[in-house]
Amino acid sequence: MNVNGERPIGAESIEVAISGDNARFVVLPPEAANWALTVEAPQGAGFLPESTSGVFIGRRRELSELRSLLTGEGSAAVVPSRVQAVHGLGGVGKSRLALHYADHYRSAYSSVWWITAESPESIVTGLARLCHRLCPQWAGTASSDEQAAWAITWLQAHPGWLMIFDNVEDPSHLHPYVGTLAGGHHLATSRRATDWHDISPTMLLGLLPLDEATDLLCTIAFPDRTPMHEEQQQARRLAEVLGCLPLALEQAGAYVHRTGIDLESYRRFLGRVLDKGRGAKDPERTIARIWDRTLTAISRRDPLAVTLLHTMAWLAPDDIPRALLGSCAPDPIALGDSLGELRAYNMIAFTDSGQSINVHRLVQTVLRTRTADPSGTHRPGRQEAEEAVRHALPDGDGPTTDHPLSWERLLPHITALAESTPPSSPASTATADIYYEAAQYLMGLGRDAHTIQLRAAALAQREKAQGETHHETLASRNNLAGAYASAGKADEAVSLYETTLVQCEQTLGETHPDTLASRHNLAYAYHEAGRMDEAIPLYETALAQCEQTLGETHPDTLQSLDSLAAAHRAAGHPERAIPLHRAALAQYEQTLGDTHVETMKSRENLACAYQSAGDLDLAIPLHETTRDQRLEILGETHTDTLISCNNLASAYRSAGRLKDAIELHEATLARCEQVLGESHPLTLASRRNLAKARRQAESALHGASATPTTGKTSEP
C-alpha cells in the first residue's frame, strides 16, 4: 500500500457517480484518483463485522449452494459481475450465512468488504470505510461522498473482491454499484423477497431442520456438558415452538444458559422472554425488536398490511384463505397489494396456488404477546380476526355464496382463536356463537370428543358476558360436559353436570325441560363413570318427570327410557333391559321413523342387550341392520357407524365367527385411528377388541377351547 503521501505523476481528475439516480457526482482530484488506481490491498484485506468462531450449526448445504450460484456451477475462480441476493424472514440467519461464506471462501478473493446497506446513506458510509482502510493519508481530509467515490474507483481498478451488502431495505439502492462494479462478486442479504428481478437472482434461506435446530439450542444452552435425555426432548419441543428460527434458538439458548431456567419453563413463558436481550452481544437483536423494525418499515409503506398481519396472528399459521381476510380489506386489489408487501418482507408466504397464506408461528407469538393492553380492550388484530371468522361462517354444512369456505377449512382458524384468547380480551356472545357452531358441526360428524377446546372457550365467553346462571351459559356448560363424556373423561363430565343441574334447578325450576335434560345427562355421566347405584335411580326420576311433563312419546322421554334400559344392561341385568329397549325402539320407529339417528341408536342398544343376554341369533341381525343403515345415511367414518362396526365385530367374535370378526375389527380400528385419533376411547376399545379376537383365533388354531364369549360393546 502506498501511504507515503507522495503525489503520483501524471494524475488526472475523475468524475464518479455515487447515487442511484445519478444525481450525485464527485470529482476526485488527480492525486486521489492516482492513489485509487495504484494502491494495492494487502493479501486477505477486508472488513467483516464480527468473528466467525462462534457456534454455527447446519447451513453447510446452503454455503455450498451459495458458492455455486456466485461462481457459476462451482468454479473456484472469481467470475466478474456475479450478483446473488439471499432473502428470508428476519432472524433466519441471512447475515450469519453471508459472514460464514466470506470467512470460508476468503482465500478465493483478493479482498472482502462488508457494507451495511439499509439505506443509500449507509452504503455510502460503508464505501467510505473502505477508503479509510486503504488510503488513510487522503481520507482524513475528504468528505464522505469523496471517500465513497474513491472506493468505487479502487474497486473498478482492482478486481477479484467480494462485496457483501447486508440487510438491503430496497433492492433499487444497489443499482449504481452492481452495474458499475463488475470486477468481483456482490452478495446481498435482505428481508425483502421481491423487486430483485432486474438486479439479481435470489436464494430463499429457509428454516433449520428440526434436528439441527435442536442441536443448536442444546449447544448454546449447555456449552459445557452433554444434555440429558429429558433436556434434549425439551429442546426439541422448544425448537418446534420457535419454528426452527436460528436467531430465536440462539436467543433462547443464551437466556437458558445465563439464567439457569429450564427449557420447558422458557417454552411456557415464551411470550414474556422473547424480548429479553440482557447479556446478549447486541440487545437490540432480539426477535421481537428485529420484527418491530420490519413492521415499522411496512407500516410506512402500507398500514393495511400491518393490520392484516396482526389479524392473521390470531388464526392458524397455515392455509389462511384470502377470502377469510375479505372483511378486513373488501377491495381485492388493496388486499393483494397489502399481502404482497408482507410477502416482500418475508413476513408471510403464499401457498402454491397463491390463494392461501402461511405465517411463521413465532411471528404470531410475538404479535400476540408484544402488546399488553388494559383489561377489557382488544389486542391488535384480535377483534378483526373474530369478525373475519364470523363473517365467513358457512350456513349449514357447505360454504356461503359470499365466502366459499368450507367448515373443514375454517375449523383450524376457529380452534386457533379459541386457544389464543387473551385473558383480558372483552367477552363476546357473538364469538361464543362461533365456537358453538363449529362444535355443533363436529358433533354432527360424531366427533363430539374433539370439541372440548371449542366448548370450553364458548363457556368462558358466556360466563364473562352473560353470567354464571344465564340459560345460554347453562346450556354451554352442559355441552362441555357432554364433550368430556364423549372423550371418556367421566370425572370432568360428572363435575360439570352436577354444577349445571343445581343451577338449573335453582334458576329454571325442577321440571323445566332444560332441567330435565340436565338430570338425564348427569345420570348418563354416572353411568359412564361406572357409578350405577347413582345412575339408575336418577334415570328413573328423570324418566318419570319427562313422562309427566313432556309426555310418553316425546324424544327426551324416549331417550330417558332407552338410557335406563342401558343402565340395567350395564349393571348386569339384561332381562330388565330388553323389555325397556323394545318399548323405546317401538316408540322411536312410530314417532321418528325407521332410520332416524335416535331410532338407529335405540336399535343398536337392543342388539347389545340381546348380545349381553347371549341371544346372538337376535343380536347379530339387529347389529347388521343398524350398521348398514348408518353406513348409508351417516357414512363409513361417522362415530355412530364406527360403533356399529365395532359392536357387530364383537358379536361375530362371540358367535365364534373369528375370521369375520378380525376383518371387521381391523377395518374399524384403521378408520378410528384416522378419524378419531390414537387415544380416543372408541379407538382404544377397537384395539382391545381386535386383540381379543386375535388371541381367540390363536387359541382355536392350537386346539385350545374357543368357547364363544360375550364381548364388551361400545354403545350403551
Side-chain angles (χ1 to χ4, degrees), residues 261-272:
I261 190 175
D262 63 273
L263 292 164
E264 191 65 21
S265 295
Y266 188 96
R267 186 180 67 83
R268 289 200 308 270
F269 300 124
L270 184 60
R272 295 172 54 186

Side-chain angles (χ1 to χ4, degrees), residues 372-440:
D373 291 336
S375 179
T377 61
H378 287 287
R379 291 188 181 181
R382 175 71 197 189
Q383 188 171 15
E384 290 82 354
E386 292 178 2
E387 290 176 355
V389 171
R390 183 164 57 249
H391 188 67
L393 284 180
D395 181 14
D397 292 340
T400 64
T401 302
D402 294 336
H403 295 279
L405 301 177
S406 67
W407 270 115
E408 292 303 321
R409 290 200 72 188
L410 279 176
L411 279 171
H413 305 294
I414 298 174
T415 302
L417 272 181
E419 293 174 344
S420 64
T421 306
S424 62
S425 190
S428 165
T429 57
T431 302
D433 289 341
I434 294 174
Y435 303 146
Y436 170 78
E437 290 186 40
Q440 292 299 105

Side-chain angles (χ1 to χ4, degrees), residues 346-377:
N346 282 286
M347 297 303 285
I348 64 170
F350 293 153
T351 58
D352 291 342
S353 68
Q355 296 308 303
S356 294
I357 302 104
N358 298 332
V359 185
H360 192 281
R361 286 165 172 77
L362 199 57
V363 171
Q364 293 183 308
T365 300
V366 168
L367 292 174
R368 290 199 303 261
T369 58
R370 196 80 169 105
T371 306
D373 291 336
S375 179
T377 61

Side-chain angles (χ1 to χ4, degrees), residues 501 504-519 541-542 544-550 556:
L501 177 58
C504 283
E505 289 173 339
Q506 293 175 347
T507 306
L508 305 175
E510 289 280 340
T511 59
H512 188 280
D514 289 352
T515 306
L516 299 179
S518 182
R519 187 171 291 112
T541 300
Q545 290 177 326
C546 282
E547 288 175 337
Q548 181 178 358
T549 306
L550 304 175
D556 288 357

